[in-house]
């Protein structure tokens, strides 16, 4: 299964009021393993960014002035997500903006016609009813480090959501073994262990300890019958 963990930042909260996407961040997973492939772009929205939105993500009109328009990146973005299941927190928000952007172009594309969609907010609400289930709350609940997240950013949030998603839906299964990824390293916030790390010492019982253990088993056997340990050791 190919999944794309996706997040966007926008000029405001309502695409029906003409608000636009200004940043897209995606990370790719195949069979619940982070591949290291990602897609990230800033976009000139051809309109002003609301002050309230800037206070959330810190992306200013001046910064976006020389960035490409959505029409210039639409095909590349579509090819990256096409055929995948999109993993999004509060998916209706991002999909609404994506569909509004695609609707301005020819041919018109509707995201759900080309991608599956999994809403991690809905999954979290079902698993943790009555609790806070925003991304920050889930990071705290599952021990995911989001200390670099002073402001929202699409790629950073997608990387954090990938870690949260794996834990939310069955544990951390995205670790890549050393023979699968040369050199180890880090991806998606998950720490890989180096193959050259010192081996853990394995303590062994001494002859005296083994003898004392056997004597204790004999005492137990006389009092309560043969022990399970004795049966296994035979």
């Amino acid at each position: 299964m190919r999944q794309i963990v996706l997040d966007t930042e926008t000029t405001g909260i309502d695409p029906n009021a003409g608000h636009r996407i200004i940043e897209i961040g995606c990370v790719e997973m195949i069979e619940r393993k982070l591949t290291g492939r990602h897609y990230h772009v800033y976009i000139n929205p051809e309109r002003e960014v609301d002050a309230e939105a800037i206070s959330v993500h810190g992306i200013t009109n001046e910064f976006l002035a020389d960035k490409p328009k959505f029409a210039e990146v639409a095909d590349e973005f579509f090819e990256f997500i096409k055929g995948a299941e999109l993993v999004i927190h509060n998916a209706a928000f991002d999909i609404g903006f994506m569909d509004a952007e695609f609707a301005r172009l020819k041919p018109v594309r509707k995201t759900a016609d080309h991608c599956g969609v999994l809403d991690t907010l809905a999954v979290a609400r079902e698993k943790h009813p009555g609790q806070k289930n925003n991304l920050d709350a889930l990071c705290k609940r599952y021990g995911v480090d989001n200390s670099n997240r002073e402001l929202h950013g699409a790629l950073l949030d997608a990387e954090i959501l990938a870690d949260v998603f794996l834990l939310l839906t069955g544990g951390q299964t995205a670790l890549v073994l050393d023979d699968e990824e040369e050199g180890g390293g880090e991806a998606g916030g998950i720490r890989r262990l180096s193959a050259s790390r010192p081996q853990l010492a394995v303590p062994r019982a001494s002859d005296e300890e083994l003898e004392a253990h056997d004597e204790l088993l004999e005492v137990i056997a006389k009092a309560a019958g043969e022990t399970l340990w004795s049966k296994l050791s035979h």
Side-chain angles (χ1 to χ4, degrees), residues 7-143:
D7 187 61
T8 64
E9 299 298 342
T10 63
T11 63
I13 62 172
D14 187 0
N16 295 319
H19 285 291
R20 306 287 300 272
I21 292 175
I22 58 173
E23 184 187 9
I24 300 171
C26 305
V27 294
E28 180 186 65
M29 293 193 298
I30 295 180
E31 300 299 336
R32 293 175 60 83
K33 292 181 180 179
L34 292 161
T35 67
R37 289 189 68 215
H38 70 276
Y39 179 84
H40 180 232
V41 65
Y42 290 103
I43 298 168
N44 181 339
E46 304 178 82
R47 59 156 292 158
E48 294 292 299
V49 183
D50 282 2
E52 293 84 354
I54 294 175
S55 70
V56 172
H57 49 59
I59 303 172
T60 65
N61 295 295
E62 293 76 16
F63 176 80
L64 296 171
D66 63 348
K67 301 302 183 286
K69 300 176 177 63
F70 186 85
E72 298 173 61
V73 302
D75 288 342
E76 181 182 41
F77 172 50
F78 178 75
E79 288 301 318
F80 188 82
I81 65 172
K82 184 175 67 174
E85 179 179 65
L86 305 182
V87 178
I88 307 173
H89 203 67
N90 191 17
F93 179 88
D94 300 85
I95 296 297
F97 270 94
M98 290 163 58
D99 285 348
E101 294 287 359
F102 283 129
R104 295 183 176 96
L105 307 175
K106 300 295 183 184
V108 173
R109 295 158 173 160
K110 191 171 179 62
T111 306
D113 291 341
H114 303 277
C115 304
V117 179
L118 188 154
D119 187 350
T120 52
L121 179 58
V123 175
R125 284 173 172 170
E126 182 176 351
K127 191 168 183 178
H128 305 291
Q131 301 182 52
K132 286 185 177 180
N133 287 301
N134 59 40
L135 191 54
D136 286 335
L138 291 173
C139 286
K140 183 176 181 180
R141 189 171 302 146
Y142 286 99

Side-chain angles (χ1 to χ4, degrees), residues 184-232:
E186 296 186 3
I190 297 175
R191 186 168 63 89
R192 318 285 196 236
L193 296 179
S194 170
S196 62
R197 69 189 186 279
Q199 297 298 308
L200 294 175
V202 180
R204 306 287 184 185
S206 66
D207 291 340
E208 292 79 7
E209 289 170 330
L210 291 172
E211 184 177 348
H213 178 66
D214 290 339
E215 290 175 356
L216 178 60
L217 291 179
E218 289 180 10
V219 172
I220 295 173
K222 289 178 181 179
E226 187 177 13
T227 64
L228 178 61
W229 185 274
S230 297
K231 293 179 181 179
L232 293 174

